[in-house]
Amino acid sequence: MDREVLCPEQTATTRPPVFLTGQLDRVTASTGHNPLSVEIESMLAVRYTHAPTIAYHLRDAVLHDGSIYAKNMRHFIGRRTGRAGQVRHIRKGALASSAVGYTYFGHWLRDDCCQYLLAEQAGHPICVFRPSAFEHLPPYASCLRQAWTPMEYAVFGELTIYQDFAQNSLKHQRYRILSQRLAESFPPPLRRDKLIYLRRGNTGAARVVKDEPELINALQRNGFEIVDVAGPLSEIIPTLQRAKLVISMEGSHVAHCTFTLDPGCGLVLLQPADRFTAIHRHWTECVGVGLGFVVGEVDRAAYVFHPEEILRTADLVLSGLA
């Protein structure tokens, strides 16, 4: 296996996120991917070291039911399906899929679509089959000029796999490329003057905002428009392209903002107290979007967010962008 560094480790100074006094006191747990202390440290860090982007070149590799095998190495991507399928023979391939992108729409859009750009330069882009496709995958794939044809079984003469999770300068370049491709399908307006509430609703894992109709009414009285992520991409993208600031529940659907918000825009996340994450801190910094958050406490099967706190946080984010 040969190792090629595509982008070295980089250290950057980061802007602190915007949040009101006492918000972190409400946090009780992380999502489980990292300890809570790590998530809070990552959220508050003023300097951050981004890992290198690395290509690993394998010979005589096999894709078999969700994993890559080469000699005594196994690279896991997705769970076994046990489906029978045709075995393809590919001289030179490169993996576009990742384990997190296989599982979460947000990582597929934000990370795997960027990794696809590396893969198409190195060989035939390999996209691993998943039992149920993300609803917005086909229109995004079309707009971003990516095939995402699923594959289950293959034998490779050469295969490149990647370490590509860091929000470094190489990732920034690819964000720009994909933003430009999306803009070719959805020409952006001349002005950014909208305040948007991107409503998660019943999509994805349950993350219910208690008394959300009252919250929506308060936001609408203050000039916000409501966009439902269950709607078609043809409605979501043009509206987000007009957004100066977006408010939304934390979750994969926030990735719709990745290629639609420009540098100088803002994002306010509604963070559940029992699943706090800093995952959005560093991609927003990478693309130049200001970040704020409000923490909602658990009330049975819902989260309590106070409209006045959300609006104050939004004002602070907007004032920091001026």
Side-chain angles (χ1 to χ4, degrees):
M1 178 170 61
D2 297 325
R3 178 179 182 272
E4 179 186 4
V5 177
L6 303 180
C7 181
E9 179 180 281
Q10 297 173 335
T11 301
T13 300
T14 62
R15 295 175 295 176
V18 174
F19 58 98
L20 302 177
T21 302
Q23 294 295 308
L24 289 177
D25 295 336
R26 300 173 179 172
V27 176
T28 59
S30 68
T31 60
H33 296 293
N34 288 310
L36 178 57
S37 59
V38 172
E39 295 289 357
I40 291 177
E41 180 182 2
S42 182
M43 180 65 85
L44 302 181
V46 294
R47 287 181 64 81
Y48 200 84
T49 299
H50 298 288
T53 300
I54 302 173
Y56 296 93
H57 304 290
L58 313 176
R59 294 179 178 82
D60 300 322
V62 173
L63 167 63
H64 180 83
D65 202 9
S67 292
I68 299 292
Y69 299 89
K71 294 184 178 178
N72 62 346
M73 184 210 77
R74 179 192 182 194
H75 181 69
F76 173 81
I77 302 157
R79 67 182 184 276
R80 295 177 183 270
T81 65
R83 286 168 36 110
Q86 178 184 4
V87 178
R88 298 188 57 182
H89 293 263
I90 298 174
R91 184 181 66 82
K92 191 172 184 179
L95 188 61
S97 298
S98 70
V100 288
Y102 177 95
T103 305
Y104 302 109
F105 167 75
H107 283 286
W108 172 80
L109 181 57
R110 191 170 55 246
D111 297 323
D112 288 15
C113 288
C114 283
Q115 187 167 299
Y116 191 105
L117 296 180
L118 299 179
E120 66 183 358
Q121 294 177 354
H124 182 95
I126 306 303
C127 309
V128 175
F129 171 84
R130 62 187 312 276
S132 57
F134 301 121
E135 179 182 358
H136 288 128
L137 187 154
Y140 264 121
S142 176
C143 293
L144 300 179
R145 304 203 296 273
Q146 298 180 351
W148 287 100
T149 302
M151 190 178 302
E152 294 176 84
Y153 302 96
V155 176
F156 305 95
E158 300 176 33
L159 178 67
T160 301
I161 63 176
Y162 298 95
Q163 172 183 293
D164 187 34
F165 59 85
Q167 303 295 326
N168 54 31
S169 59
L170 180 57
K171 184 65 71 69
H172 177 260
Q173 292 172 15
R174 288 174 286 154
Y175 283 148
R176 292 285 302 275
I177 291 171
L178 294 180
S179 295
Q180 291 166 1
R181 290 186 182 182
L182 192 65
E184 291 173 7
S185 294
F186 295 96
L190 298 178
R191 298 175 59 190
R192 280 193 175 272
D193 54 2
K194 289 186 179 292
L195 305 174
I196 300 297
Y197 177 62
L198 185 61
R199 182 176 178 270
R200 178 183 176 90
N202 296 321
T203 62
R207 220 163 291 168
V208 178
V209 177
K210 186 175 182 180
D211 298 325
E212 188 175 37
E214 286 77 2
L215 170 61
I216 288 175
N217 287 338
L219 293 175
Q220 289 177 320
R221 288 196 301 270
N222 284 271
F224 280 81
E225 295 185 16
I226 313 303
V227 177
D228 198 316
V229 298
L233 208 61
S234 59
E235 295 178 3
I236 296 171
I237 296 301
T239 306
L240 291 178
Q241 288 176 322
R242 286 285 303 272
K244 181 64 176 178
L245 179 132
V246 175
I247 295 173
S248 190
M249 171 66 81
E250 190 282 320
S252 273
H253 64 282
V254 176
H256 288 298
C257 298
T258 307
F259 307 127
T260 53
L261 296 187
D262 289 337
C265 293
L267 173 66
V268 175
L269 291 174
L270 308 184
Q271 290 261 20
D274 61 350
R275 46 171 298 110
F276 188 83
T277 177
I279 189 69
H280 302 283
R281 168 79 196 281
H282 301 292
W283 75 258
T284 53
E285 184 69 22
C286 187
V287 301
V289 170
L291 180 68
F293 66 85
V294 178
V295 177
E297 295 178 295
V298 181
D299 184 354
R300 298 179 185 177
Y303 297 98
V304 178
F305 292 96
H306 303 288
E308 64 274 13
E309 292 183 350
I310 295 172
L311 291 168
R312 283 172 58 200
T313 304
D315 286 342
L316 290 171
V317 171
L318 285 171
S319 64
L321 300 174

